[in-house]
């Protein structure tokens, strides 16, 4: 294995691991705050117990996310010194703001965890809301860096270097609005469907008011975010079509320029033959998706220099996986909403609870696939049209050993997280669930 490939795999592994904790840090505090708000409104101790459980889960995942985030910050300098040499003055501001938001999140989370008996109820709830706000801001600042790498703006390139920098324009790069919105909603939807699935499993094992309350809150957040995610997905597609057309061509496995262009579902791209085999094509679909015009021209990969193509197969496959996972999540929302409106609650159907349980990982799968599209689809550039990935890697050799060591670290951290969450979060509290045997109306329908 070459050192460049080892460095890329290590970065992919680190990002793929850390992003799970990042989306939890963005979304879980919202669920936590909703549960406490419901406790203040209803005085039901079950919501208080739920808020405390979710707060402990947030703290566990926050701590592990802090470790993986620190590893990532070191890796940027150690594995990609040329990238940091060029981009450091630009990405320094958003990374500094991210650090500021991270510390605020840590402070308010500490206040929330240890302030139950020391703050007024409203002030304590406010601290939870501030955890949620700072968590989202932390994620948005990191997205700003990635958006600039995709569509660098606010800088002037002279003699192979960045000469002049407008930090405000660099922060608000063309990719930033659609990427930030898409990421925030993805975090909420992914965490919500995971929580829904976990507590649906709890309901299947034995009816519990604790699991029922948790599932209701998670479903409400999921139902509120998924329709909006459709809109941000459309915005993202139109942005990519305008600013990153070669990435769109790789996402769709489109080799020849077409007008109108069909939307491809599935299929296997063959770069050597320049064709997408076994795909289902929807006429006019890609032209409409990309430009809101059924006859619009969409450039194919052959319209670009061959040495600027991203790896087509992984980009196309990841995009298909993301779309499939997102569509399946939307189906869960539609079915659950229909059951709630027509039958008085999705929790009354064991078939739906089983479906929700099997849908637990869909959000994380969609997020991982989406980031694969974003990162692999930008290749061969680390900073689009300025710095190639191969020119940014460290000259240090032996990176395969680093990759093996970090893989072992992440496996260990994953085991610790699962053990702690099972012990402190997932199990239903017996004391707070006096009606554990009281059926919430579940049927086999």
């Amino acid at each position: 294995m070459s050192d460049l490939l080892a460095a890329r795999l290590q970065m992919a592994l680190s990002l793929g691991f850390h992003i799970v904790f990042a989306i939890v840090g963005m979304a879980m505090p919202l669920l936590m705050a909703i549960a406490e708000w419901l406790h203040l409104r209803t005085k039901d101790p079950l919501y208080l117990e739920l808020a405390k459980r979710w707060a402990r889960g947030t703290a566990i995942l926050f701590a592990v996310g802090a470790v993986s985030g620190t590893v990532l910050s070191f890796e940027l300098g150690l594995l990609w010194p040329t990238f940091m040499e060029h981009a450091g003055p630009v990405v320094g501001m958003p990374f500094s703001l991210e650090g500021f938001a991270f510390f605020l999140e840590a402070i308010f989370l500490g206040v929330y965890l240890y302030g139950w008996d020391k703050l007024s109820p409203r002030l304590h709830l406010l601290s939870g809301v501030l955890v949620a706000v700072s968590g989202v801001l932390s994620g948005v600042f990191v997205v700003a860096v990635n958006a600039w790498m995709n569509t660098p703006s606010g800088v002037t390139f002279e003699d192979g270097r960045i000469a002049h920098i407008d930090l405000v324009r660099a922060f608000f790069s063309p990719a930033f609005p659609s990427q930030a919105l898409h990421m925030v909603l993805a975090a909420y939807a992914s965490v919500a469907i995971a929580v829904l699935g976990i507590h649906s499993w709890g309901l299947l094992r034995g009816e519990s008011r604790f699991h029922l309350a948790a599932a209701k809150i998670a479903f409400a957040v999921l139902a509120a975010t998924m329709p909006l995610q459709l809109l941000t997905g459309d915005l993202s597609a139109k942005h990519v079509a305008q600013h990153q057309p070669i990435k769109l061509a790789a996402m769709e496995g489109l080799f020849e320029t077409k007008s109108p262009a069909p939307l491809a579902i599935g299929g296997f791209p063959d770069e050597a033959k320049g064709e997408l085999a076994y795909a289902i094509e929807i006429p006019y679909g890609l032209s409409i998706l990309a430009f809101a015009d059924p006859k619009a021209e969409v450039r194919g990969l052959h319209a670009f220099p061959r040495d600027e193509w991203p790896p087509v197969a992984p980009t196309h496959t990841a995009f298909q996986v993301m779309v499939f996972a997102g569509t399946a999540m939307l189906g869960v929302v539609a079915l659950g909403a229909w059951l709630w409106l027509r039958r008085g609650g999705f929790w009354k159907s064991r078939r739906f609870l089983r479906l929700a349980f099997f849908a637990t990982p869909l959000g994380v799968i969609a997020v991982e696939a989406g980031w694969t599209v974003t990162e692999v689809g930008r290749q061969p550039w680390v900073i689009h049209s300025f710095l190639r990935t191969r020119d940014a890697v460290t000259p240090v050799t032996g990176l395969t050993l680093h990759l093996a060591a970090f893989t072992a670290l992440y496996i260990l951290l994953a085991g610790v997280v699962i053990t702690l969450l099972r012990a402190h979060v997932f199990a239903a509290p017996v004391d707070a669930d006096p009606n554990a045997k009281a059926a919430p109306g579940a049927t086999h329908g």
Side-chain angles (χ1 to χ4, degrees):
M1 181 185 296
S2 69
D3 286 319
L4 174 59
L5 180 58
R8 292 179 66 181
L9 287 176
Q10 184 174 329
M11 206 67 197
L13 176 67
S14 299
L15 283 169
F17 185 83
H18 180 70
I19 200 170
V20 175
F21 300 93
I23 60 174
V24 170
M26 294 169 72
M28 205 63 214
L30 175 66
L31 299 181
M32 178 181 83
I34 290 174
E36 185 177 4
W37 176 72
L38 288 171
H39 167 66
L40 294 180
R41 283 181 60 86
T42 64
K43 307 302 179 187
D44 188 336
L46 201 60
Y47 289 117
L48 179 62
E49 176 63 24
L50 192 55
K52 289 184 176 180
R53 289 262 178 158
W54 281 345
R56 287 198 290 272
T58 301
I60 293 168
L61 296 167
F62 179 86
V64 178
V67 174
S68 58
T70 303
V71 170
L72 266 174
S73 65
F74 282 120
E75 284 179 343
L76 280 174
L78 293 174
L79 296 178
W80 312 102
T82 308
F83 166 73
M84 292 306 295
E85 176 188 348
H86 288 287
V90 179
V91 303
M93 182 188 76
F95 274 147
S96 298
L97 292 173
E98 191 273 339
F100 184 68
F102 172 81
F103 285 122
L104 284 179
E105 186 180 3
I107 291 169
F108 289 123
L109 182 58
V111 171
Y112 192 86
L113 289 170
Y114 297 102
W116 287 103
D117 301 322
K118 300 176 179 63
L119 300 175
S120 69
R122 291 183 182 279
L123 199 55
H124 189 268
L125 175 61
L126 177 62
S127 68
V129 172
L130 292 174
V131 174
V133 171
S134 52
V136 168
L137 288 176
S138 182
V140 166
F141 291 138
V142 174
V143 170
V145 173
N146 185 265
W148 181 81
M149 292 163 65
N150 287 326
T151 55
S153 61
V155 296
T156 302
F157 300 111
E158 292 181 5
D159 301 326
R161 305 189 67 82
I162 293 176
H164 304 288
I165 302 173
D166 182 336
L167 286 177
V168 175
R169 285 189 59 209
F171 185 94
F172 294 101
S173 64
F176 175 71
S178 58
Q179 269 195 242
L181 283 172
H182 203 54
M183 188 67 238
V184 171
L185 290 171
Y188 285 141
S190 301
V191 171
I193 199 166
V195 173
L196 173 66
I198 291 167
H199 290 284
S200 292
W201 174 246
L203 287 170
L204 286 169
R205 294 180 64 187
E207 297 103 358
S208 159
R209 290 183 62 240
F210 174 80
H211 290 304
L212 179 59
K216 284 182 177 178
I217 294 174
F219 184 82
V221 173
L222 180 65
T225 52
M226 278 309 296
L228 296 175
Q229 186 67 325
L230 273 182
L231 297 177
T232 62
D234 183 65
L235 287 175
S236 295
K238 289 177 171 53
H239 161 79
V240 172
Q242 182 178 358
H243 295 275
Q244 304 173 73
I246 192 171
K247 179 185 284 187
L248 178 68
M251 289 161 61
E252 276 293 306
L254 183 70
F255 289 90
E256 302 297 336
T257 299
K258 293 184 178 179
S259 174
L263 182 68
I265 299 176
F268 301 94
D270 186 331
E271 292 188 39
K273 294 182 179 178
E275 64 180 26
L276 181 67
Y278 306 112
I280 299 172
E281 294 188 344
I282 300 175
Y284 308 102
L286 185 56
S287 293
I288 295 173
L289 181 69
F291 298 104
D293 178 354
K295 297 181 179 178
E297 177 183 278
V298 180
R299 284 186 285 172
L301 288 160
H302 286 145
F304 303 91
R306 182 65 181 84
D307 67 345
E308 293 186 6
W309 287 18
V312 180
T315 306
H316 174 74
T317 303
F319 179 64
Q320 297 293 317
V321 169
M322 181 188 71
V323 171
F324 172 79
T327 304
M329 291 168 66
L330 196 61
V332 171
V333 169
L335 180 58
W338 183 83
L339 288 170
W340 202 330
L341 292 174
R342 300 297 297 271
R343 297 191 180 181
F346 61 81
W347 54 91
K348 297 180 179 179
S349 169
R350 293 184 66 82
R351 288 179 181 173
F352 179 83
L353 294 178
R354 281 194 288 270
L355 175 67
F357 169 69
F358 285 114
T360 300
L362 281 180
V364 173
I365 290 172
V367 168
E368 297 282 7
W371 272 102
T372 301
V373 172
T374 300
E375 293 301 292
V376 178
R378 191 185 58 243
Q379 301 304 316
W381 306 99
V382 63
I383 302 174
H384 193 266
S385 299
F386 173 66
L387 180 63
R388 289 178 183 263
T389 305
R390 70 184 180 211
D391 297 327
V393 72
T394 176
V396 174
T397 59
L399 297 182
T400 305
L401 292 177
H402 293 217
L403 174 61
F406 278 96
T407 301
L409 171 65
Y410 291 133
I411 292 174
L412 175 65
L413 286 175
V416 170
V417 169
I418 292 171
T419 302
L420 289 174
L421 289 179
R422 289 187 64 182
H424 296 285
V425 182
F426 293 158
V430 176
D431 291 342
D433 192 15
N435 300 318
K437 297 297 182 184
T443 70
H444 295 278

